[in-house]
Amino acid sequence: MKFFTLLSISFIVGMSPSDAQPVCIPPQRVDSLHANAIKAYVSSDLNIFEQGRFGFRFPANSSDENKITGLIHNLNFIVGGYDSQGDWRVSTGSYSGNWPSFIPGYINGPSGLDEVDCLQWGQVWKVNGYDIAGLKADFEDNGIVDSSVPNSLLSWPGRGNPFIKDLMGISLPDQPMAPFYDANQDGIYNPYQGDYPVIGLDCQDLIPTQLLWTIAHDIPFEDPINQPGGPMGLEIQLTAFALDFPSIEDILKETVFLRLEIKNLSGTEMSDVRICQWLDVDIGCSNDDYVGCAPGSHTVFGYNGSDKDFCPTGPQGFDMTPPVLTMTILGDTLLSFISGFRGHPGDFWSSSDSIPLHRRWENILSGKKWDGKSMTVGGDGFTGMGDTTTFQYSGLPSDTGSWSMQNISNSNFGDIRLAATSLGQSLEVGESAIQYIAYSAHRKADLLPPYQVDYALSRIPYLQDFYQNCFTLPIGNPIPCQVDCVWPGDMDANGMCNNLDLLEWGVSLDRTGSDRGQPFIGWLPQYALGWGNTGELDTDARHQDANGDGVINQLDVFAIHENFGKTNTNPVDWGGFSLEGPEVKLTRLYNGLTSPDEVVTPGKKFMIQFDVQEWPSDSIYSLGYSIIWDTLVVRLEPGFDQLPKASPLVDNSEVFLHIDGNRIDIGITRTDHVNLAFSPFELGKVLFRIRPDVPQGQAPDSTVVVVQHTQAYLANGTELIIGSEPLAIPFGIVTSLDDQNSPQSAMSIHPNPSDGLVTWTSGRPLKELRLYTVDGNLVQHWALPGKQNMGQLNLQLPGGVYLLLGQAMDGTIHRVRMILR
């Protein structure tokens, strides 16, 4: 199955690269695939697999962020070819030297994108297979999409999408964009008519577990100083996708696929167009890697040069049994392979050399050294006396008589990069070439690196066959889980991952049951067999086995860190109780760090101590809670939070702490299945500051700090109902002693806290009311007819802290903070 497609000619045809001078460059954005054992990052400027130290992480399910390892630092594409005049042109990624990079977004004529529209481009669109499968099943049921469609499908940039402008502020061009299955064949993407994203029009039946799509081009925003060999005039669509499908030795679960669609918009025919994948291989540590190629299977590989991957400094290594990385051209031919060490003489673009950079790339894409010297078999490829070749290190490392880095007596370790070239075809104006590539990790216990390579290459035919069958398994592809699924990290199965999930983990710790196959903690629904509930918990213990390895242990906690705050398609609320109660007490402290005045003036600080003073039982096992404040008035002083404080509960317990803009979320659980006899203890202290630019109605005012979403368990899973009283902090500019003693507002509500039915009164007639969340999102708006000083509201909203603003007839604005239970 080889694709070489003639598409419609875009409106840009006939424009040379130097004619185009966009007024705006879309920003670079990054998103990640995490559908199996690999987490891979994709950037909208085609700078692939680069995110910090490792952009292609394997395994992606480490229990410790500091121990994450990977196989790739960065991947860039270099595309070169000859125009109708026989002149060489080349376009490169941003990592490949001082040369124009790929620009996010599509080509939009010589004037470029409108500045407002442009800032919304440079996106990486992400879709999950379970959303596609759900929509597909819904439509096939009766020819109508009856349920709501997820935003990821509504904002897919398929041609003519009627929703994307409102959702993302993007105006789509009237030309083919992101590929989609067109249910009614009208050429317009509309998921409510049964349309859904696909990886490409060539393989529309595949529903991947997860896919990303982005688009970029090489038309520069300014002329590259008229340097010869300038950009080709290309538009490149990139689809990255990953599968959580069963396969021989889990090869599909250890692979990420890329689909490139390269369109010639240069205004001239391009001949001998070649695609080079320039790859910075880092097998854990970057200073001890080897590379090689297997031309017969169109594969290049990287492996560790020693038996143990240990980094004396820098990132974490793999230690023993380091894996192998392979890059396989699917359905196409590998034309050449060449490598070089970073910083060594002869690096791909050594600035000390007089050969122009575009000529160096012409040589490299032709399978030669950067200076045009041909490779010969033997040694490093340039000092040997063997036959001429375009494939460096084409032998097996396990075969001591073959040509490989492993078998070169004077081979040195180093930070190595490789260039693998393929395609080699002509492109008419407006014509596109399509290529698929598979990036895979391979690791088998107790194999030394040379034999890990043999193991890796033995798996490549499976990938080639899978591709030839348009990514379809002989038994058919599995359908993503839709009902009663495990979402890794959502251990209480309430539709979201948060700090309270740690508590059920603590109850079920050490339990064993059916595993889900290869461990996985990405935020995707998973099939899982039931384990049965632990003690008095309401959820099956399979949910507490977050990574699916069949045992509930410390490794599962990493899923909470990885997926914190994420929700599935049916979230409920944060969980826990938001009740008034004496269990968690808030006390304001006065000390050398805080304002000495009762009314805190703007810019000054105040401190709150949090204590557990009463308890509904004689013992305690776990506790979770959230501290919430009004970000319009208050900000947290970083570095001055002492949470959670050492105490009989905290000591020797598992603790989760997450600090965000307007809240602190904490989970504490013992891990020994033994209740702790209860006695009052301190949770900690937090230092806040009243914002210098705080908005005020009638000064002084007051703000509220609350503890909500409280949850607690005993060791057997019995849930305890606990609550807290909010603490009001007066603030503002005090103009008199009476003001300081009696802070008030021109508007008031009662009761407060309430269950939603509240009465408001105002000293001045109001013309409108607006209700906001504490982070500034408008919830409801009421226009008040006539002059009203009093009214009633019936609010059907989740419990929490809200801000009610009233605008008086004279234009003044008054506000009160409202707590809903």
Side-chain angles (χ1 to χ4, degrees):
M1 182 179 67
K2 186 172 183 177
F3 305 107
F4 189 70
T5 310
L6 180 64
L7 301 180
S8 60
I9 298 177
S10 168
F11 56 81
I12 198 70
V13 167
M15 182 187 73
S16 66
S18 60
D19 292 332
Q21 297 190 13
V23 297
C24 172
I25 299 299
Q28 176 213 27
R29 294 181 174 92
V30 178
D31 209 333
S32 64
L33 280 174
H34 188 189
N36 51 30
I38 292 170
K39 188 169 187 179
Y41 293 82
V42 172
S43 171
S44 58
D45 64 354
L46 304 186
N47 198 16
I48 313 299
F49 303 154
E50 183 178 31
Q51 182 69 11
R53 185 63 182 83
F54 293 118
F56 187 94
R57 298 180 177 182
F58 172 82
N61 303 315
S62 171
S63 61
D64 186 344
E65 182 73 18
N66 296 321
K67 294 183 179 180
I68 285 177
T69 48
L71 303 175
I72 300 175
H73 184 199
N74 178 270
L75 163 67
N76 267 197
F77 299 108
I78 292 89
V79 186
Y82 298 92
D83 61 21
S84 58
Q85 304 300 312
D87 294 326
W88 171 261
R89 292 197 202 170
V90 64
S91 298
T92 74
S94 61
Y95 199 63
S96 50
N98 184 21
W99 200 251
S101 304
F102 291 112
I103 298 171
Y106 70 100
I107 301 175
N108 189 38
S111 61
L113 293 167
D114 172 82
E115 186 169 2
V116 175
D117 198 37
C118 162
L119 293 175
Q120 302 306 317
W121 276 93
Q123 301 283 346
V124 178
W125 283 266
K126 183 175 183 176
V127 174
N128 293 313
Y130 68 88
D131 284 331
I132 298 174
L135 183 139
K136 188 171 182 286
D138 188 352
F139 181 75
E140 291 176 349
D141 177 29
N142 57 4
I144 299 173
V145 177
D146 302 298
S147 57
S148 60
V149 176
N151 276 354
S152 61
L153 300 185
L154 287 176
S155 58
W156 185 252
R159 186 173 193 167
N161 181 345
F163 308 105
I164 196 170
K165 181 66 175 178
D166 289 338
L167 289 172
M168 301 185 70
I170 287 177
S171 299
L172 290 176
D174 186 20
Q175 66 184 57
M177 293 294 287
F180 62 94
Y181 173 79
D182 192 358
N184 61 4
Q185 298 295 306
D186 65 349
I188 301 299
Y189 176 75
N190 187 334
Y192 280 106
Q193 296 177 356
D195 302 340
Y196 54 83
V198 295
I199 63 169
L201 301 181
D202 37 44
C203 284
Q204 298 189 59
D205 292 335
L206 172 68
I207 298 179
T209 308
Q210 201 171 69
L211 76 152
L212 303 179
W213 183 88
T214 192
I215 185 171
H217 62 86
D218 66 350
I219 305 299
F221 68 96
E222 60 184 17
D223 193 299
I225 322 176
N226 293 311
Q227 48 190 327
M232 295 179 67
L234 303 175
E235 190 172 76
I236 299 180
Q237 296 187 23
L238 172 74
T239 304
F241 59 99
L243 311 170
D244 187 25
F245 291 1
S247 55
I248 295 176
E249 295 182 311
D250 287 328
I251 177 62
L252 295 182
K253 295 184 179 184
E254 297 173 347
T255 298
V256 167
F257 296 93
L258 301 184
R259 179 188 187 271
L260 289 175
E261 184 169 324
I262 300 175
K263 189 173 186 179
N264 177 14
L265 299 178
S266 65
T268 178
E269 177 187 0
M270 303 298 295
S271 62
D272 196 17
V273 176
R274 297 184 174 221
I275 302 172
C276 173
Q277 295 179 68
W278 188 93
L279 189 64
D280 187 348
V281 176
D282 286 348
I283 310 297
C285 307
S286 63
N287 60 348
D288 59 353
D289 298 331
Y290 285 160
V291 295
C293 68
S297 60
H298 312 294
T299 297
V300 302
F301 52 84
Y303 60 104
N304 215 63
S306 58
D307 302 344
K308 183 177 181 180
D309 184 45
F310 174 73
C311 310
T313 60
Q316 177 79 17
F318 282 99
D319 200 12
M320 302 302 295
T321 319
V324 169
L325 168 76
T326 60
M327 185 278 288
T328 302
I329 307 295
L330 299 173
D332 213 332
T333 302
L334 180 67
L335 299 177
S336 66
F337 169 80
I338 190 171
S339 65
F341 291 117
R342 177 174 65 91
H344 287 209
D347 195 1
F348 286 159
W349 43 81
S350 174
S351 60
S352 61
D353 193 82
S354 60
I355 298 176
L357 186 57
H358 75 286
R359 291 300 179 198
R360 294 180 227 168
W361 282 118
E362 182 182 19
N363 292 330
I364 291 170
L365 268 63
S366 299
K368 300 178 181 179
K369 193 178 178 182
W370 56 273
D371 59 1
K373 182 178 181 180
S374 295
M375 279 192 293
T376 55
V377 176
D380 65 358
F382 305 105
T383 57
M385 302 297 292
D387 295 335
T388 300
T389 183
T390 58
F391 298 105
Q392 190 181 31
Y393 307 129
S394 56
L396 291 174
S398 61
D399 179 359
T400 57
S402 70
W403 183 33
S404 71
M405 292 190 75
Q406 179 78 30
N407 299 326
I408 300 174
S409 59
N410 62 346
S411 179
N412 294 315
F413 293 136
D415 186 1
I416 198 165
R417 288 90 182 276
L418 61 85
T421 302
S422 57
L423 200 63
Q425 298 177 359
S426 296
L427 283 178
E428 298 288 344
V429 174
E431 197 172 20
S432 292
I434 296 173
Q435 187 175 83
Y436 285 88
I437 311 109
Y439 281 84
S440 305
H442 313 265
R443 191 180 196 182
K444 194 167 188 176
D446 302 325
L447 287 182
L448 298 177
Y451 301 99
Q452 291 279 14
V453 174
D454 293 343
Y455 169 67
L457 295 179
S458 72
R459 306 169 88 196
I460 300 304
Y462 185 94
L463 294 177
Q464 295 282 16
D465 290 343
F466 185 57
Y467 160 79
Q468 292 294 342
N469 288 294
C470 228
F471 305 102
T472 302
L473 297 171
I475 60 173
N477 293 340
I479 299 173
C481 183
Q482 296 288 303
V483 179
D484 197 24
C485 312
V486 170
W487 291 79
D490 180 18
M491 298 181 185
D492 55 12
N494 73 339
M496 65 177 62
C497 176
N498 59 31
N499 56 307
L500 301 182
D501 291 300
L502 183 74
L503 309 189
E504 296 209 1
W505 171 85
V507 173
S508 292
L509 182 64
D510 301 323
R511 277 199 63 179
T512 60
S514 300
D515 64 35
R516 302 198 301 266
Q518 189 179 59
F520 174 72
I521 61 168
W523 189 248
L524 292 172
Q526 304 288 297
Y527 290 105
L529 297 176
W531 289 26
N533 295 11
T534 303
E536 300 299 317
L537 293 182
D538 293 331
T539 53
D540 190 288
R542 64 198 177 102
H543 293 280
Q544 287 103 60
D545 178 26
N547 70 351
D549 64 357
V551 59
I552 299 172
N553 57 22
Q554 182 66 40
L555 298 177
D556 297 303
V557 177
F558 185 63
I560 303 177
H561 292 271
E562 181 80 1
N563 297 319
F564 182 84
K566 294 179 181 177
T567 61
N568 63 29
T569 52
N570 297 300
V572 284
D573 56 30
W574 196 262
F577 297 98
S578 297
L579 304 175
E580 292 184 29
E583 286 80 15
V584 181
K585 180 176 176 58
L586 284 63
T587 305
R588 181 177 169 188
L589 303 179
Y590 295 86
N591 54 40
L593 295 174
T594 66
S595 170
D597 301 319
E598 179 185 355
V599 180
V600 186
T601 56
K604 298 298 183 180
K605 304 172 189 176
F606 64 94
M607 180 177 286
I608 295 179
Q609 178 173 309
F610 301 84
D611 296 277
V612 177
Q613 293 201 343
E614 296 188 25
W615 203 245
S617 172
D618 62 358
S619 56
I620 184 173
Y621 187 76
S622 61
L623 171 65
Y625 58 98
S626 298
I627 301 171
I628 303 173
W629 58 90
D630 183 351
T631 56
L632 295 177
V633 178
V634 175
R635 75 184 186 199
L636 181 69
E637 283 294 288
F640 287 93
D641 53 276
Q642 301 174 35
L643 293 167
K645 185 177 179 180
S647 67
L649 178 62
V650 171
D651 296 345
N652 302 313
S653 291
E654 183 72 24
V655 177
F656 178 91
L657 172 66
H658 183 269
I659 300 177
D660 207 345
N662 75 317
R663 59 188 297 146
I664 300 173
D665 298 297
I666 296 172
I668 310 165
T669 181
R670 293 175 62 83
T671 58
D672 57 2
H673 306 288
V674 177
N675 288 323
L676 177 71
F678 177 78
S679 60
F681 62 94
E682 180 186 337
L683 290 171
K685 303 177 182 69
V686 178
L687 186 65
F688 296 100
R689 184 190 297 268
I690 299 295
R691 291 185 176 275
D693 56 349
V694 58
Q696 284 185 231
Q698 179 177 330
D701 207 335
S702 64
T703 189
V704 179
V705 178
V706 298
V707 170
Q708 291 188 332
H709 309 304
T710 55
Q711 193 166 43
Y713 288 102
L714 298 179
N716 68 350
T718 298
E719 187 171 11
L720 304 176
I721 299 176
I722 59 175
S724 177
E725 297 286 350
L727 180 64
I729 303 295
F731 72 92
I733 300 174
V734 180
T735 57
S736 70
L737 184 60
D738 290 340
D739 284 338
Q740 181 165 348
N741 292 334
S742 304
Q744 57 184 334
S745 172
M747 184 172 65
S748 63
I749 60 172
H750 67 275
N752 191 19
S754 77
D755 293 321
L757 186 63
V758 299
T759 299
W760 63 268
T761 58
S762 173
R764 300 178 183 180
L766 303 183
K767 65 179 181 180
E768 68 172 1
L769 289 169
R770 293 177 182 268
L771 185 67
Y772 293 86
T773 62
V774 290
D775 53 0
N777 294 318
L778 179 65
V779 178
Q780 285 184 252
H781 171 244
W782 300 269
L784 304 178
K787 299 180 179 180
Q788 292 193 21
N789 292 78
M790 179 182 296
Q792 195 172 66
L793 303 175
N794 189 2
L795 303 171
Q796 304 297 319
L797 295 169
V801 180
Y802 295 86
L803 183 67
L804 183 66
L805 270 69
Q807 184 170 4
M809 302 299 294
D810 61 4
T812 58
I813 295 177
H814 312 280
R815 67 180 202 158
V816 291
R817 272 150 208 84
M818 176 190 305
I819 301 174
L820 296 183
R821 292 191 288 254

